[in-house]
Amino acid sequence: DSAKKLGKGSNRGKYILSYLDSKLLKNPELDRNDLIYFAKKYEREHCTEKYDDTKIESLVDQAIKYCKDKSIMPQEITKSEEIE
């Protein structure tokens, strides 16, 4: 039901980022590609508007940086791990 979904101007990026942070806290073994997948899945299920890939990747990179700064995930996951 789109009435319950997040639309433009609802700060949906914040919700996606929070979801990604939660995923990483519970599953620190997830890599960048996994997180991109989960961000897009969350967006499909909870948002009426879609971000472009660059924005999704930026949110994923923010989540990775946050979790690295909090020392809760392996340091080898970096932005250099691009989608192949």
Side-chain angles (χ1 to χ4, degrees):
D1 180 43
S2 63
K4 296 180 183 178
K5 291 188 174 188
L6 301 167
K8 194 171 192 174
S10 62
N11 202 4
R12 62 194 186 279
K14 178 184 89 169
Y15 292 96
I16 294 170
L17 190 55
S18 177
Y19 174 75
L20 293 175
D21 290 343
S22 177
K23 278 287 192 194
L24 276 172
L25 286 168
K26 294 175 185 171
N27 306 285
E29 72 281 0
L30 293 174
D31 66 20
R32 187 171 187 267
N33 291 336
D34 294 330
L35 295 173
I36 290 170
Y37 167 81
F38 284 118
K40 289 181 176 184
K41 181 177 185 287
Y42 181 92
E43 185 180 53
R44 279 192 310 273
E45 294 174 359
H46 300 282
C47 304
T48 59
E49 303 282 329
K50 304 297 183 228
Y51 285 129
D52 63 23
D53 288 347
T54 303
K55 177 65 174 181
I56 293 293
E57 291 171 10
S58 172
L59 292 170
V60 166
D61 292 340
Q62 287 178 56
I64 290 170
K65 181 179 181 335
Y66 173 80
C67 291
K68 277 185 180 179
D69 289 348
K70 296 296 181 190
S71 299
I72 61 165
M73 62 185 291
Q75 296 299 310
E76 66 269 9
I77 297 178
T78 65
K79 184 179 173 161
S80 65
E81 292 182 39
E82 298 295 330
I83 299 173
E84 297 180 14

